[in-house]
Amino acid sequence: MDVKEVSDPAPGGFSIGIDVGGTFTDLACGDGQSLWRAKSPTDRNNFGNGVLGACQLVADQIGLDLPTFLGRVERFGLGTTAVTNALVEKHGVKAGLLTTEGFEDTISMARSRRVSEEGFLVPPWSPIERSAVVGVRERVNRDGKVLQSVDISAVRSAVAQLIETHQIEALAVSFLWSFKNAENEMAVVDFVRQEFPDLPVFSGVELHPSIREYERTLVAAVNAVLSTALDGIEALAQELADTGLRVPLLLLQTSGGTVTLAEARRSPVILVASGPAAGVMAAAEVCAAEGISDAICGDMGGTSFDLAIIADSRPQRSERGELHGMILAQPRIDTLSIGSGGGSIAWVDGRGLLRVGPRSARAWPGPACYGNGGTDATITDALVVLGYIDPTSFVGGTLDRDASVRVCATLGESLGLSAEETAWGIREIALAEMTKATRLHAGASGLDPRTLTLISYGGSGGLFTASIAAEANIPRVVVPPAASVLSAFGAASADVRRQRIKSADVLFDRVDAGAIGADLERLGSEVSRDVLGDGVPEKDLTVVYDVGVRFFRQTSEVSIPLQVPVFDSDAIRSAFLEQYAARYGVGAIGQKAQLEVTFLRAVAIGRLPRATFAVDKSTRTGAPVEPSSHRNVYLSRGGSESVPCYRTPDLIPGDRIEGPALADDVDTTVFVPRGATLVVGDRRSLRVEVNSDAA
C-alpha cells in the first residue's frame, strides 16, 4: 500500500522513519528535497514483516532495489509498540526482586492505588510475584549514612533460591534510600552480575536515581520483566543490516527523542508509547514551520485517538506516567488516548445502546470494507456508508462498500435503524467521544482553546478534526503533508535524546547554589559522553538543563528549564509560580508555602540527518481550482447531498476551498464542514479555518 508524494530522489542519502501501529506500519522517507510515504499491514506475529514491506514499497516508488535503497539510508528511526504491548498484555519473563528487608510489599501495595476491573476496584498488576520478592538485611538512612552493610553470602543464597525455586530469568534490585547512597545496592548488583553472568540485572538507582521508593523500584521491576521484549527488534536490526542498512537502528522513546538499541536494552520501559510521542515531536516541527506556538495534537489512527499539548512551542511533558494503575517514573510526552480509531468496532451493550470501541478490528481482518472477512461494523465502515471515504481511491485498492452497508444494517437491526442511520450514529458517537477528550485535555493544560490550533494527523483524523475543533471552540485546524504517516515522519526527524538525573530533595532557603551548579555541570558532562558514544558528532550536540520544583510536601513537581547550569533562585521561583498558575490556576498557589527542589537534570540532544517538509513554490496562473468530482455525503442524519471533492495532490499553495467539501488523497481525506474554509499553505499543509457554525 504505497503512497507517492514525489519521485525524483536527490543524490544524497535518505532519512527513514517507521511507526509500527496496531493496524498499519507507516513509513516516511525524505532526502531533504522530496518526501515518500508508504503503509504496510502490521503483522502482529512478526512486526518486522510490516517494516520490511514498507521499505520495499518506498524502494519501488524511488526505482531502487531494496539493498541499494537501504545502503543509501543515513538515518533509520523506529517507533514500536513491542514494549507497550508486552505491558498491556502482562506478558514478560519471570523476574525476582531484591529489596530492603521489611519493604517486600512496596510493589504489591502500589501506594494503595486501585484500578477498575470488571466493575471491581482491585490493586494494579504487580510485575513480580510476591513470592519472588526477597528482603535483604541492609540499611541506609535518609541522610545517606550506611547503617548496615550487605551480607554478600546471604545475597548469593537468595539469588540461587530464586533461580532454582521460581525459575526467574531476570532480577531487579532496589534498596531504600539508595538514591542518597548507592553503596549497598551497587555492591549487590555488581556481585550478582559477576556471580550469575547469564542473569540480566536491573538496578533501581542506576535507572532512576531519584526519590520515591515505589516508582524507583517499579522501574527496575518492569524493566526486568521486559528484558526480552526487544528480541524481535534485534532480529529486525540484523535482517536490515544483512539486506544493506549501514547505520544503526534508532528507537523512539516516550520522551520524544531517540536512543540506540543498546540503551533501550538497558531500560526497555523508555519505549512505552513511543509511537504517539513521535507524532507529537513531528507536530512540533509542523508548528515551528507554521509559526504556531500553542496547539493541541490529534492523532486518529486505526486503533486509537491520541491527544497531546504543545505549549510555548514545546511538547508538554510529565515526569511520571500511569499505565494500568502503575506509576512509571519515566519523563514522557503527556498524552491522552481513547479507543476511537478507524478500526474501532461498534456494538450494542446490554442496555440496547449503540457503543463504539475500544476493541479494534486492526489490520486483519480489519473493517468489513477491506474484504478480508471482517464481520464487525467499524468507524471506517460507517464513513464509507456515509460517503466520507471514496471506496474507489483508497490506499491499497478498492473498498467493498456493499460489505460496509451489510454490517451496518446487521448491527442496526436490533436498534430498529437502517444501515445509514446506524452509520450516522457510529460517526456521531465517535465524534462526541473525541470532542469530549479534546476539551478535557485542552482544559487540563491550562490553555484557552480559542488560542489553540488543532494539528490533525493519522489516517482518519482529517474526517473529524474540523468538526471537533468547531465543537471545542478551537478556531483552526492544520493538516500537515503526509498526515497519515506523521508519527513515522517524527521517527525520521526526532533528535537523539539522553538524560542524567540526580535527586535534590532540598528546601529553597537551604539551597547551596554552588553545589547544585557543580552537580548540573557534572550531569551535563556525563550525558554528553553518552550521546557522543551513540555516534553523534560533537558539533551537533546540545545540552539543556532543568530542575524539578514543587510546593513543600506536594506530590508532583513542575520542571523549570535553565538557560545555563546555574541555580538562580529568584528566576526559578518566578518561573515556577508562572507555570504553576498557568496549569492549576492562581487560586491554587499557597502564598506563604515553601518551595523545594526535587531533582536536577541534564538532557543531551544530538541532531542527526532528518526528513523535512520542503516549501512548494508552485503558483496557479489559470482559473481557480475546480473539484475533480462530486459525491453524495451524509452531512446530517436526514439524508445525503452532493459535495464537491478535490484531489489533494492537485492543490497548490494559496488555493482556497469553501465548505462543505472533501479533499481526497489515497491515504487520508479531509472534511471541510459547512461554514469552514480550507487554505493550502506554502508547505502544502491544509489549513482549515472553522467557527461554531461548522459544528
Side-chain angles (χ1 to χ4, degrees), residues 19-156:
D19 175 40
V20 181
T23 303
F24 285 106
T25 295
D26 298 338
L27 185 149
C29 173
D31 63 355
Q33 299 180 10
S34 305
L35 183 68
W36 297 265
R37 60 193 199 269
K39 283 179 171 287
S40 180
T42 297
D43 184 342
R44 295 194 69 190
N45 297 318
N46 184 353
F47 72 88
N49 292 338
V51 173
L52 289 166
C55 290
Q56 183 64 64
L57 289 172
V58 169
D60 292 342
Q61 291 179 45
I62 297 173
L64 300 173
D65 60 75
L66 186 58
T68 302
F69 170 62
L70 290 177
R72 287 179 54 182
V73 170
E74 294 181 341
R75 176 220 179 92
F76 198 111
L78 175 69
T80 172
T81 57
V83 173
T84 306
N85 290 344
L87 278 180
V88 169
E89 296 167 4
K90 301 179 176 62
H91 175 71
V93 304
K94 194 174 182 63
L97 169 66
L98 298 183
T99 190
T100 302
E101 186 178 62
F103 292 83
E104 293 88 348
D105 294 308
T106 295
I107 292 182
S108 57
M109 289 176 64
R111 288 186 177 271
S112 300
R113 301 176 68 84
R114 295 295 181 265
V115 296
S116 178
E117 185 175 296
E118 298 182 358
F120 294 92
L121 290 177
V122 299
W125 173 62
S126 180
I128 296 179
E129 296 178 5
R130 175 60 180 83
S131 59
V133 179
V134 176
V136 175
R137 288 191 176 183
E138 69 84 35
R139 199 60 186 260
V140 173
N141 70 11
R142 63 171 297 144
D143 297 320
K145 181 180 179 181
V146 177
L147 302 180
Q148 182 173 359
S149 298
V150 176
D151 181 352
I152 291 297
S153 62
V155 170
R156 179 189 291 108

Side-chain angles (χ1 to χ4, degrees), residues 354 382 385-386 405 408-409 411-413 415-429 634 636-639:
L354 182 63
V385 171
L386 297 173
V405 172
C408 286
L411 180 65
E413 286 178 359
L415 302 169
L417 301 176
S418 67
E420 291 76 16
E421 290 172 327
T422 303
W424 181 258
I426 293 171
R427 180 184 183 275
E428 287 296 287
I429 290 170
Y634 281 76
S636 68
R637 183 177 179 180

Side-chain angles (χ1 to χ4, degrees), residues 38-287:
K39 283 179 171 287
S40 180
T42 297
D43 184 342
R44 295 194 69 190
N45 297 318
N46 184 353
F47 72 88
N49 292 338
V51 173
L52 289 166
C55 290
Q56 183 64 64
L57 289 172
V58 169
D60 292 342
Q61 291 179 45
I62 297 173
L64 300 173
D65 60 75
L66 186 58
T68 302
F69 170 62
L70 290 177
R72 287 179 54 182
V73 170
E74 294 181 341
R75 176 220 179 92
F76 198 111
L78 175 69
T80 172
T81 57
V83 173
T84 306
N85 290 344
L87 278 180
V88 169
E89 296 167 4
K90 301 179 176 62
H91 175 71
V93 304
K94 194 174 182 63
L97 169 66
L98 298 183
T99 190
T100 302
E101 186 178 62
F103 292 83
E104 293 88 348
D105 294 308
T106 295
I107 292 182
S108 57
M109 289 176 64
R111 288 186 177 271
S112 300
R113 301 176 68 84
R114 295 295 181 265
V115 296
S116 178
E117 185 175 296
E118 298 182 358
F120 294 92
L121 290 177
V122 299
W125 173 62
S126 180
I128 296 179
E129 296 178 5
R130 175 60 180 83
S131 59
V133 179
V134 176
V136 175
R137 288 191 176 183
E138 69 84 35
R139 199 60 186 260
V140 173
N141 70 11
R142 63 171 297 144
D143 297 320
K145 181 180 179 181
V146 177
L147 302 180
Q148 182 173 359
S149 298
V150 176
D151 181 352
I152 291 297
S153 62
V155 170
R156 179 189 291 108
S157 299
V159 175
Q161 182 72 11
L162 285 171
I163 294 174
E164 181 180 348
T165 304
H166 296 279
Q167 287 82 48
I168 66 165
E169 302 170 71
L171 181 69
V173 182
S174 181
F175 291 162
L176 190 67
W177 295 107
S178 60
F179 71 94
K180 281 284 191 178
N181 184 343
E183 179 182 329
N184 280 356
E185 184 167 321
M186 292 312 301
V188 170
V189 169
D190 292 340
F191 169 76
V192 175
R193 285 174 177 166
Q194 181 176 356
E195 190 77 5
F196 303 89
D198 296 328
L199 184 69
V201 181
F202 296 86
S203 161
V205 75
E206 279 187 329
L207 296 169
H208 187 67
S210 184
I211 196 170
R212 292 189 178 93
E213 175 195 355
Y214 169 69
E215 286 90 335
R216 189 173 64 256
T217 303
L218 192 62
V219 164
V222 171
N223 276 308
V225 171
L226 296 175
S227 58
T228 61
L230 301 182
D231 288 355
I233 298 176
E234 288 192 332
L236 171 63
Q238 186 60 53
E239 188 169 3
L240 288 167
D242 292 343
T243 309
L245 185 67
R246 298 177 292 105
V247 295
L249 195 63
L250 296 175
L251 302 178
L252 267 294
Q253 55 179 317
T254 185
S255 66
T258 62
V259 293
T260 61
L261 185 53
E263 175 64 13
R265 267 291 189 198
R266 193 177 79 89
S267 180
V269 76
I270 64 176
L271 304 185
V272 170
S274 63
V280 178
M281 297 305 295
E285 296 266 346
V286 172
C287 287

